[in-house]
Amino acid sequence: MKPFTSTDVPVPHTDQTLKQDLWPDHCVQGTHGGDLEAGVQERLDALKNQTTIEIIQKGSNKEIDSYSAFADNAYQLFTPLSKVLFSNGIERIVVVGLATDYCVRATVIDARKFGIQTTVVTDGIRAVFPDRTESVLEELRGWGAAVTTLQELRSEGTKGT
């Protein structure tokens, strides 16, 4: 099977299949591609003595993709993200990352399913297929997510101060 094709894979412990897109290996734990971006890592290192930092890992099941930061695509395995958010009283998240049409989309939809207020920052996302960006953002608005720019988000954060 070649990357950038689709195949049906069995869902573990069921008689169902799931359509799965095939990707080249990427974001592999223990490799450069799996590391946090250097600037992000520096900011986290600076904060670690001031607050608790949780790194949520996804994609641990080789059999099923995990686009969402909350669960695999078959909803058989869940990450601890929802527990971390709820146990810390976090009611709103801001989502950035790759790829708008896969991981960002799935994460935002799952966040909304959990009732979490969700904002997507358009300057912090990029799609695998850029022609899908607007339709994905419309879909996410339909789920109740806010879609904004970084400048608008910053302005919102300074209102009333």
Side-chain angles (χ1 to χ4, degrees):
M1 292 183 268
K2 294 182 181 182
F4 306 109
T5 61
S6 295
T7 187
D8 289 327
V9 296
V11 175
H13 313 296
T14 73
D15 58 356
Q16 299 174 334
T17 61
L18 181 70
K19 186 176 185 87
Q20 189 159 294
D21 295 321
L22 302 178
W23 304 98
D25 288 342
H26 63 287
C27 299
V28 176
Q29 187 175 2
T31 70
H32 175 71
D35 292 343
L36 292 172
E37 188 270 334
V40 171
Q41 186 64 60
E42 287 175 22
R43 288 177 186 89
L44 291 174
D45 289 344
L47 289 171
K48 70 181 172 188
N49 292 326
Q50 302 169 30
T51 189
T52 301
I53 296 172
E54 296 277 348
I55 305 290
I56 305 295
Q57 296 185 345
K58 65 182 189 110
S60 60
N61 182 350
K62 292 181 183 181
E63 304 301 317
I64 301 288
D65 274 335
S66 296
Y67 296 153
S68 173
F70 289 90
D72 67 33
N73 292 4
Y75 293 101
Q76 291 200 330
L77 296 175
F78 286 79
T79 71
L81 181 56
S82 59
K83 180 179 179 181
V84 168
L85 295 174
F86 287 120
S87 65
N88 287 286
I90 298 169
E91 299 175 348
R92 180 182 183 212
I93 62 171
V94 176
V95 179
V96 297
L98 303 173
T100 308
D101 38 351
Y102 290 92
C103 299
V104 169
R105 176 185 173 272
T107 297
V108 170
I109 290 170
D110 283 350
R112 295 301 302 138
K113 287 177 181 177
F114 277 110
I116 299 165
Q117 296 173 34
T118 307
T119 300
V120 179
V121 179
T122 55
D123 341 41
I125 59 174
R126 183 161 298 152
V128 172
F129 299 102
D131 59 316
R132 295 183 187 172
T133 300
E134 285 309 313
S135 65
V136 169
L137 293 177
E138 269 310 304
E139 178 185 15
L140 299 180
R141 286 183 187 100
W143 278 94
V147 177
T148 190
T149 65
L150 181 57
Q151 182 176 354
E152 291 167 340
L153 185 65
R154 284 182 173 156
S155 294
E156 176 187 315
T158 59
K159 288 180 184 174
T161 59

